Amino acid sequence: LILASALIWTNRENILAHFMSRQLRVPVAIDSLTLNKASAKITDLSIGNFPHSYSPTSFTAQFLQIKTKLQKILSNPLIIDEIAIENMTICIEFYDLDGDDSNWNRILHDRRKIKKSSRDYLIKTLTLKNLTVEVIRADGSIKIYPTISHMEFHDISNETGFPVDEIEKAIFDLMMKNIFQ
């Protein structure tokens, strides 16, 4: 038991990356994972892309921290005090000219089919710092949008959902601003 625990602890980054890779169906790499009673910290998270993509990655983050306590994870609702993600790049790669088939559509395809969990959750604060969006069209042309320095969202739950609309709006506003400049 002690040997198995030590083996798991020394390979925690690889185990988490393997689990994420199986769920997302793309390669995942994690440089380091630090766990303590109040938080989990990941450095240099890289989510790969599908074969024959122009970009090798679909998401990178230099730093990700989740702050919560074990009793809050085990409670219902699951409560996460804060998620902070810094220096991240999201690469959206389109595989067709219509824009219907993209790397993120493929990554999230099976996730949308999964029945919603009966367990409630609450993320009190989600902070995104230095978000860069890169769009690659089917012809291989690349557009990198200016970095969004800071975005903060509060009280994300299974009832409100992840604030994808707000993030998309911020990215769209940035794109429009860039076009007019």
Side-chain angles (χ1 to χ4, degrees):
L1 185 60
I2 292 171
L3 182 60
S5 297
L7 188 61
I8 290 171
W9 183 254
T10 57
N11 289 301
R12 63 191 177 277
E13 294 92 354
N14 295 332
I15 293 168
L16 179 59
H18 177 74
F19 174 76
M20 290 176 66
S21 181
R22 284 188 54 194
Q23 295 296 312
L24 301 174
R25 300 179 340 266
V26 291
V28 175
I30 296 172
D31 186 52
S32 71
L33 170 63
T34 306
L35 300 169
N36 62 40
K37 288 189 237 179
S39 70
K41 296 176 188 175
I42 296 173
T43 56
D44 296 326
L45 169 65
S46 175
I47 298 175
N49 227 340
F50 293 94
H52 311 295
S53 297
Y54 287 102
S55 175
T57 60
S58 55
F59 176 86
T60 59
Q62 191 175 35
F63 178 80
L64 183 143
Q65 181 174 26
I66 301 171
K67 292 182 182 178
T68 193
K69 295 190 175 168
L70 183 60
Q71 60 267 31
K72 290 182 178 183
I73 292 173
L74 300 175
S75 70
N76 193 8
L78 177 147
I79 298 172
I80 297 175
D81 294 320
E82 181 182 4
I83 298 176
I85 308 173
E86 296 179 10
N87 304 325
M88 63 181 149
T89 301
I90 297 175
C91 178
I92 303 167
E93 184 165 341
F94 293 102
Y95 300 120
D96 62 1
L97 296 175
D98 299 330
D100 295 330
D101 186 18
S102 73
N103 59 338
W104 282 101
N105 283 345
R106 291 180 184 185
I107 288 171
L108 298 175
H109 178 71
D110 288 341
R111 309 289 332 140
R112 291 180 185 142
K113 291 181 181 178
I114 296 173
K115 183 181 171 185
K116 287 188 176 182
S117 172
S118 61
R119 188 166 176 211
D120 296 333
Y121 66 88
L122 173 65
I123 301 170
K124 292 183 178 179
T125 304
L126 170 63
T127 305
L128 308 176
K129 292 183 182 177
N130 300 324
L131 167 64
T132 303
V133 177
E134 181 179 301
V135 177
I136 303 174
R137 292 181 183 81
D139 64 4
S141 61
I142 300 171
K143 175 69 177 172
I144 299 173
Y145 292 95
T147 299
I148 300 171
S149 62
H150 185 86
M151 296 176 77
E152 194 166 295
F153 305 96
H154 298 279
D155 299 326
I156 301 165
S157 70
N158 53 312
E159 292 177 10
T160 62
F162 192 77
V164 173
D165 294 339
E166 292 178 53
I167 294 171
E168 285 177 345
K169 182 184 179 309
I171 292 169
F172 179 75
D173 290 347
L174 194 67
M175 290 167 55
M176 293 306 292
K177 186 178 184 181
N178 192 317
I179 289 169
F180 287 117
Q181 287 177 348

